[in-house]
Every structure is written in C-alpha cells, then in structure tokens.
Amino acid sequence: MKVGVPGLETTLPLMMTLVRQKRLCIDQVVRLLAEKPAEIFGLADRGQIDQGKNADLTIVDYNTQFKIDPSKFRSKAKFSLYNGWEVYGKPDKTIVNGQLVFSEGEIVAKGGVGLVMRGGEA
C-alpha cells in the first residue's frame, strides 16, 4: 500500500518559510527541489541554471506572506496537512522550456509546453 499527502502547491512556500526562519538556506532548497529531482529522473538538461540546460525557473516573491488554503488549490486534492499555516514565498512566475507558463496566480500557457513524467515503482 502506498500512502502520501498532496504537496505540489505547498512544498515551495513551506521551504521558503524555513529559509526565512534560518532553518534552511536557499542553496539547500535549490538542491532539494531542482537538482536532486533532475538527477533522480535522469534529466541531464534540467535542474540547474547553466549553459545548455533547459530554462525551467520559478520566480518567488520571498516577502509575500499568506495562509495555505486548500480550497484554492489548482490540483484535484482540496485538503492539506498545512491548512491555515502562515507561510512565505508565493510563486509568482514559472518558466518551462524558456516559455512563461504561470504568472501572478494564473496559468498563461496552452498545454504541451512541458513533459509528462511517469514515475515507476519506488
């Protein structure tokens, strides 16, 4: 049996809150949320800002504080272990393959910009 909780929309703000609390540094967040996933999935062209790598970036408003509200999630899961938590670091823009796909709370790109990743058995 596999058990898990939704975290797509809360992971980055939770991590950025830990950075503000000086419990993590920004380099650790980059390693955990960009470099390691690219390494685990064998995506040599992603996970770092470097020449020859794909331009996949998230721009974060580090100073914006907000409450986690699962009713506003874009994912199907409308619940969170962190419901009501005050966090910092609201994602402002997301760029995938060099194309703006998310801006100021809205998806602005048509489908087909990114890649569908299918995970195997862990």
Side-chain angles (χ1 to χ4, degrees):
M1 171 197 324
K2 290 185 179 184
V3 179
V5 296
L8 178 67
E9 295 176 71
T10 57
T11 300
L12 183 58
L14 288 165
M15 294 283 208
M16 296 309 294
T17 300
L18 292 173
V19 170
R20 285 185 73 90
Q21 296 170 347
K22 299 192 183 325
R23 296 173 67 191
L24 284 177
C25 70
I26 194 68
D27 290 346
Q28 290 171 302
V29 174
V30 171
R31 242 186 333 275
L32 292 167
L33 299 183
E35 293 173 4
K36 285 312 246 179
E39 180 184 317
I40 289 167
F41 285 102
L43 303 171
D45 61 344
R46 298 178 191 274
Q48 297 177 340
I49 300 173
D50 201 358
Q51 188 172 6
K53 305 275 184 181
N54 282 23
D56 294 343
L57 305 165
T58 298
I59 299 166
V60 179
D61 182 344
Y62 182 69
N63 294 313
T64 296
Q65 182 180 22
F66 64 99
K67 252 185 205 177
I68 293 176
D69 180 357
S71 71
K72 295 180 180 175
F73 286 177
R74 292 189 170 274
S75 64
K76 290 180 183 179
K78 299 298 181 197
F79 66 94
S80 172
L81 298 175
Y82 309 104
N83 185 26
W85 282 35
E86 293 280 341
V87 293
Y88 286 88
K90 194 165 193 112
D92 183 56
K93 297 189 184 337
T94 301
I95 300 165
V96 177
N97 294 330
Q99 182 177 340
L100 183 66
V101 297
F102 178 83
S103 182
E104 300 174 12
E106 298 296 322
I107 296 170
V108 296
K110 296 190 185 330
V113 174
L115 298 172
V116 175
M117 300 300 301
R118 305 247 188 250
E121 294 294 317

